[in-house]
Amino acid sequence: MQKSTLKKLSQTLGLSISTVSRALKDHPDISDATRKKVKELAAAMEYEPNSYAVQLRTRKSNVIGVLIPTINNFFYDSFIGAVEEEARKHGYSLLIMQSGDTVENETACLQYLRQHNVMGLFVALSVETENLVPFKKMEELEIPVIFIDRVPEEKGFYTVCLADEAAARMAAEAIIEKNKKNVLALFGHPHLSITRIRRETFTNIFKAKAPKTKITIDHTENGNASRLATVAALRSSKKPDVIFCMGDLILTGVMKAIHELKLKVPQDVSVIGISNGFMPTLFSPEITYVETSGGKLGKLSFAQMLARLRSENVPENVIVESLLVRGGSL
């Protein structure tokens, strides 16, 4: 146990436990010679402080919580990778939890994170979340909360999100540029603000710039639902000439359907998506997409969190810019 190790250090050196403890913490009351002697022996004995005991005593930790719907998603995977890399540089570690897109799990995760005294929290809301009081309580406990990607529409929260309006606009304009006439647009869960913003922007661009274009909208949410919707649309008498995919999971389902039907991209049907950037490179030709980078989101989010932990003034809402990456699918 760490306590006995600290005691053993003091016995070996003939010093009190409090003197050894202060020497390890570079307390100014301890002489340089004593500090050097204590640290050399501590290194030789491979002594490590009991971080859990320190946490209990100070009610603080160097742990930042991450609560997302699922880890099994390349976008969140790249977000976590970027946050962990930045956190490690500044002496923090992560406690990562999944809500599974249910309020029940989300609430249980929040309780666990509070019990483990996280210093801050990144959250992407579940599709069921409507009550934001639990997150306000985290702030009341002086645990800064930063919402990422799936953010609340209610004002007064700190958010770092993607340029959803710009991403949807870029995708719509790219389709209009190619003079497409029949669009199948597949979006995520209709309850999420990210879905509503992208859907409304996408359709409004067509109303303004190509009002005669036929737009068929479906909310497919995952790969299998997207595959089924795509198969049905491409087998219909008025099949789409282009398919828009709001996210990577939708894109994988769409491409599976196209391959099942032995169709060619873009000769038989064109495809464009909003993507983290990896999935589009797996297909031939590569998929044209609007980049929404989880890695960029992670780095910017951590910068916001670090500023809040240091009690610096930061804007409540920060946007990660998007860009159009042209492949051969449109």
Side-chain angles (χ1 to χ4, degrees), residues 15-310:
L15 300 171
S16 68
I17 291 178
S18 63
T19 297
V20 171
S21 177
R22 286 184 293 166
L24 290 169
K25 297 174 183 175
D26 290 321
H27 197 285
D29 290 347
I30 307 301
S31 68
D32 291 341
T34 300
R35 274 185 275 174
K36 181 180 178 182
K37 184 167 57 175
V38 170
K39 288 184 178 182
E40 286 178 349
L41 182 61
M45 295 178 64
E46 297 183 345
Y47 168 78
E48 294 182 0
N50 189 331
S51 59
Y52 182 66
V54 171
Q55 181 178 329
L56 287 175
R57 182 173 68 253
T58 63
R59 302 297 294 174
K60 291 183 178 180
S61 70
N62 285 328
V63 178
I64 297 173
V66 178
L67 178 53
I68 56 178
T70 177
I71 296 174
N72 187 26
N73 178 304
F74 187 74
F75 175 81
Y76 289 126
D77 180 65
S78 58
F79 168 80
I80 291 169
V83 170
E84 194 281 330
E85 182 180 347
E86 295 301 308
R88 189 166 9 99
K89 290 178 185 177
H90 293 87
Y92 294 95
S93 57
L94 303 182
L95 177 54
I96 303 164
M97 305 196 76
Q98 304 176 88
S99 69
D101 260 336
T102 72
V103 169
E104 182 180 3
N105 287 346
E106 189 175 70
T107 302
C109 289
L110 285 173
Q111 182 179 6
Y112 185 88
L113 291 161
R114 286 196 305 270
Q115 291 172 345
H116 284 74
N117 299 317
V118 294
M119 294 192 71
L121 177 63
F122 294 109
V123 181
L125 292 171
S126 82
V127 296
E128 296 181 355
T129 304
E130 294 182 356
N131 181 13
L132 298 172
V133 170
F135 300 103
K136 293 177 181 178
K137 288 183 178 178
M138 297 289 279
E139 291 279 2
E140 290 171 2
L141 293 171
E142 298 184 351
I143 301 172
V145 178
I146 293 180
F147 291 92
I148 57 101
D149 187 38
R150 297 182 179 184
V151 303
E153 294 183 80
E154 182 178 330
K155 304 298 182 183
F157 292 100
Y158 286 85
T159 65
V160 181
C161 56
L162 304 164
D164 294 313
E165 288 186 20
R169 173 181 53 77
M170 289 179 191
E173 289 176 346
I175 292 171
I176 293 170
E177 180 185 315
K178 293 295 184 177
N179 199 32
K180 299 299 179 180
K181 301 301 182 183
N182 190 350
V183 182
L184 173 62
L186 301 180
F187 291 88
H189 198 289
H191 177 74
L192 295 171
S193 62
I194 184 174
T195 299
R196 290 199 295 272
I197 291 170
R198 291 180 177 182
R199 184 188 63 223
E200 290 171 8
T201 302
F202 187 84
T203 55
N204 286 339
I205 291 296
F206 277 95
K207 288 177 182 177
K209 296 187 176 183
K212 293 183 179 180
T213 304
K214 180 184 177 183
I215 310 290
T216 302
I217 292 176
D218 199 349
H219 295 89
T220 51
E221 303 177 44
N222 58 52
N224 189 52
S226 301
R227 181 184 66 83
L228 294 174
T230 302
V231 168
L234 291 175
R235 282 178 173 167
S236 68
S237 59
K238 296 181 179 180
K239 66 179 185 179
D241 54 9
V242 62
I243 302 174
F244 165 75
C245 311
M246 189 184 111
D248 279 327
L249 287 178
I250 293 173
L251 174 62
T252 57
V254 167
M255 294 308 296
K256 187 172 183 180
I258 290 173
H259 291 158
E260 283 179 10
L261 297 174
K262 295 180 171 54
L263 299 177
K264 292 183 179 180
V265 176
Q267 293 90 333
D268 298 318
V269 62
S270 296
V271 179
I272 183 172
I274 295 178
S275 172
N276 189 54
F278 175 69
M279 287 296 178
T281 67
L282 301 180
F283 302 99
S284 181
E286 292 189 3
I287 307 300
T288 295
Y289 68 96
V290 179
E291 182 194 66
T292 51
S293 169
K296 291 180 182 178
L297 181 71
K299 289 184 179 295
L300 188 53
S301 297
F302 186 81
Q304 290 292 102
M305 178 63 76
L306 192 62
R308 291 205 64 198
L309 290 171
R310 293 172 174 173

